[in-house]
Amino acid sequence: MKIVLAYSGGLDTSVLLSWIKEKYQAEMIAFCANIGQEEELTGLDKKARRTGASKVYIDDLREEFAGDFIFPMVQAGAIYENQYYLGTSIARPLIAKRMVEIARQEKADAIAHGATGKGNDQVRFELTAAALAPELKVIAPWRDASFREQFPGRAEMIEYCADKGIPIQASAKKPYSMDRNLMHISFEAGILEDPWLDASAAEHRTMYKLSVSPEDAPDKPEYITLDFERGICVSVNGKSQSPLGVMQALNKLGGKHGIGRVDLVENRFVGMKSRGVYETPGGGILHFAHRQMESLTMDREVMHLRDGLIPRYAELVYYGFWFSPERLALQALVNESQKNVTGTVRLKLYKGNIITAGRKSSVSLYNPQIATMEADPTQAYNQDDATGFIRLNALRLKVAAQVQRRKMPHDQ
């Protein structure tokens, strides 16, 4: 049997590699995706082989992650439950997609992951595999009772590695878990399981990696410009950038000014609520600027139609249905809606705030001569027409009031 394992080199996946190999008498292929986690990848190949892998893939997927996953999601304006920028959610289908590709290339029988049975990631990995390679078996040790019985805690894992001669750097466990990629860093579990704990307090300042606290941000605001073409940001401050370059530049700028910190309680797909703290400096700026560009260039009814679908699109990303037919259908609508979302947005960054400082476009639908409160030089809008417009829209309300003899609120 041949199995492809999502591998990071940490304690959990080191144990998983050895345990799965032993249980299934399998040839193990380790796969690590570089999606901007900034973790040390040097020596990972050697470590995986010493742990029992016959082959190791370490792939730089950052450009694909930004261009084919983050940017289409931003075009859709997708934010889960009006707060979460979906940084972890959007990374999982890319990782699983590459695992499937490797499995097919290596003629593997299965893929394996270290996601727990309580979280969303297990669903995201496995729904992606189901959509792309339904013939592949998926191995999830944390849903195996014998695995959980053998490893009830971190101490047992460290002891197992010592017995097997697995190279690990055992360190004191952090009081929270952390997951990083190009879009964000997420923090959860441990001390953060108390929703009353103030994660912005000074004593937790060292937790954050991408951003300074707003209190420590520069006292002087910084102006930046973002250029868009068809809903895609193509340059920052006048410098053309690839999607990866855009994300790296905005993460740096946003982090400098304490932008993108979010503390929320979210509804997991598996049914429970979970408290998470997130740093999304670049993603926060990108979402904000994109909306400003749309406000100038997007037709009202197209915008409202797309906006009505945002919660559904965000759910599909969060739940793991990135490769589902319904997400692809929604993306086609989103892409059509972005045809004229082109121009420049100017923003002011200041102490955790993103402030609009201007927007312009050669295809702007905003006409100040029509919107002006002064006399309309274009004669495009006759204020007298509003009388009939209001009368027709009021007709059904008047009929209902007469039929139902509705009382005014102050009469009730």
Side-chain angles (χ1 to χ4, degrees), residues 372-389:
T372 181
M373 292 297 181
E374 306 298 327
D376 178 7
T378 69
Q379 301 298 309
Y381 188 94
N382 184 345
Q383 295 190 49
D384 293 347
D385 293 343
T387 301
F389 174 78

Side-chain angles (χ1 to χ4, degrees), residues 161-180:
C161 289
D163 291 343
K164 297 288 184 180
I166 297 171
I168 59 165
Q169 289 183 332
S171 58
K173 187 177 180 182
K174 291 181 180 178
Y176 47 80
S177 67
M178 185 179 89
D179 183 78
R180 179 174 183 170

Side-chain angles (χ1 to χ4, degrees), residues 274-314:
S274 172
R275 192 271 186 95
V277 178
Y278 300 94
E279 289 182 275
T280 318
I285 293 173
L286 194 59
H287 268 283
F288 187 95
H290 177 254
R291 185 69 192 203
Q292 292 304 313
M293 197 75 268
E294 287 183 330
S295 72
L296 200 63
T297 59
M298 207 168 173
D299 174 78
R300 181 189 72 185
E301 294 306 313
V302 173
M303 177 182 280
H304 290 181
L305 176 63
R306 194 283 314 273
D307 284 358
L309 296 169
I310 285 176
R312 180 67 174 138
Y313 187 109

Side-chain angles (χ1 to χ4, degrees), residues 192-348:
L192 297 176
E193 289 178 352
D194 175 9
W196 189 250
L197 181 134
D198 180 6
S200 71
E203 60 263 31
H204 304 303
R205 190 169 296 179
T206 57
M207 179 175 77
Y208 299 92
K209 307 298 179 186
L210 288 177
S211 61
V212 301
S213 67
E215 297 94 327
D216 296 332
D219 293 330
K220 184 179 179 181
E222 181 172 359
Y223 287 84
I224 65 170
T225 60
L226 284 76
D227 296 316
F228 287 86
E229 291 180 6
R230 300 173 70 92
I232 295 294
C233 182
V234 295
S235 76
V236 177
N237 288 333
K239 182 180 178 182
S240 295
Q241 301 270 20
S242 69
L244 172 59
V246 167
M247 291 305 301
Q248 289 174 328
L250 294 182
N251 275 332
K252 186 175 180 180
L253 287 164
K256 174 183 174 183
H257 292 278
I259 287 164
R261 293 188 177 188
V262 181
D263 185 334
L264 59 91
V265 175
E266 68 202 58
N267 289 296
R268 285 184 182 171
F269 191 20
V270 293
M272 68 189 75
K273 289 185 181 290
S274 172
R275 192 271 186 95
V277 178
Y278 300 94
E279 289 182 275
T280 318
I285 293 173
L286 194 59
H287 268 283
F288 187 95
H290 177 254
R291 185 69 192 203
Q292 292 304 313
M293 197 75 268
E294 287 183 330
S295 72
L296 200 63
T297 59
M298 207 168 173
D299 174 78
R300 181 189 72 185
E301 294 306 313
V302 173
M303 177 182 280
H304 290 181
L305 176 63
R306 194 283 314 273
D307 284 358
L309 296 169
I310 285 176
R312 180 67 174 138
Y313 187 109
E315 275 187 355
L316 291 173
V317 176
Y318 187 82
Y319 293 167
F321 288 98
W322 180 257
F323 289 105
S324 67
E326 62 269 35
R327 201 284 303 179
L328 296 172
L330 284 180
Q331 194 69 55
L333 184 147
V334 167
N335 293 345
E336 176 67 20
S337 77
Q338 300 294 297
K339 287 193 306 183
N340 295 314
V341 182
T342 297
T344 302
V345 176
R346 184 173 59 210
L347 303 174
K348 180 165 64 173

Side-chain angles (χ1 to χ4, degrees), residues 54-124:
S54 64
K55 200 168 185 178
V56 182
Y57 285 81
I58 302 174
D59 296 343
D60 188 345
L61 305 180
R62 292 176 300 167
E63 199 68 74
E64 182 181 1
F65 183 35
D68 296 347
F69 290 79
I70 294 175
F71 276 30
M73 182 180 70
V74 172
Q75 282 183 302
I79 300 174
Y80 181 65
E81 297 183 337
N82 292 316
Q83 295 186 89
Y84 174 41
Y85 288 112
L86 295 163
T88 297
S89 312
I90 194 61
R92 298 326 188 204
L94 170 58
I95 296 170
K97 167 180 169 285
R98 182 60 183 138
M99 287 179 73
V100 165
E101 291 170 352
I102 293 170
R104 284 187 164 153
Q105 182 180 327
E106 295 287 341
K107 295 181 171 52
D109 306 285
I111 60 173
H113 63 77
T116 74
K118 281 191 171 184
N120 297 306
D121 283 343
Q122 57 179 338
V123 186
R124 296 163 183 157

Side-chain angles (χ1 to χ4, degrees), residues 138-179:
V138 179
I139 296 171
W142 281 108
R143 299 205 302 266
D144 185 321
S146 65
F147 180 85
R148 296 195 306 273
E149 185 177 344
Q150 186 175 350
F151 302 107
R154 185 177 171 86
E156 288 78 10
M157 286 188 162
I158 293 173
E159 184 179 349
Y160 176 87
C161 289
D163 291 343
K164 297 288 184 180
I166 297 171
I168 59 165
Q169 289 183 332
S171 58
K173 187 177 180 182
K174 291 181 180 178
Y176 47 80
S177 67
M178 185 179 89
D179 183 78

